[in-house]
């Protein structure tokens, strides 16, 4: 499995987790760190793990296009789950 597919799967899981939190706790979007940033932090964490791994061995890194696509997947899934659960939702 290539690193981009692992990243996309990770973003699907993070988007689903954030959507599930918003669906079960509707007031979670009023938290000081907005759900939009939950996904952004997940991208940063994955990238940080890759940097730590890459410093020990050579391996493929994520391109900016991969990061943006993964971020979009996570946001879209989070919004879709929250809207399907009937939660009033806004990104900011």
């Amino acid at each position: 499995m290539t690193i981009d597919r692992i990243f996309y799967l990770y973003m699907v899981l993070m988007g689903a987790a954030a959507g599930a939190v918003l669906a079960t706790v509707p007031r979670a979007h009023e938290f000081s760190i907005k759900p939009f940033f939950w996904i952004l932090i997940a991208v940063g964490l994955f990238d940080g793990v890759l940097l730590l791994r890459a410093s020990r061995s050579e391996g493929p890194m994520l391109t900016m296009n991969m990061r943006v696509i993964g971020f979009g997947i996570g946001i879209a899934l989070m919004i879709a789950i929250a809207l399907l659960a009937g939660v009033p939702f806004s990104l900011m």
Side-chain angles (χ1 to χ4, degrees):
M1 201 178 222
T2 60
I3 197 70
D4 58 336
R5 291 184 189 264
I6 293 170
F7 177 66
Y8 295 149
L9 177 64
Y10 172 75
M11 290 312 298
V12 165
L13 293 174
M14 292 299 106
V21 167
L22 288 172
T24 57
V25 185
R27 294 183 54 99
H29 72 278
E30 296 174 3
F31 187 63
S32 61
I33 301 173
K34 301 295 181 191
F36 173 83
F37 292 110
W38 299 349
I39 305 297
L40 193 60
I41 291 168
V43 171
L45 288 175
F46 190 86
D47 209 25
V49 169
L50 277 181
L51 285 175
L52 289 175
R53 188 185 64 90
S55 66
R56 285 185 257 136
S57 65
E58 291 194 26
M61 295 299 293
L62 291 175
T63 64
M64 187 56 69
N65 288 338
M66 289 180 201
R67 290 183 187 117
V68 171
I69 290 169
F71 181 69
I73 289 169
I75 292 292
L77 197 54
M78 178 184 69
I79 291 171
I81 291 173
L83 290 178
L84 288 174
V87 176
F89 183 78
S90 66
L91 285 177
M92 292 292 175

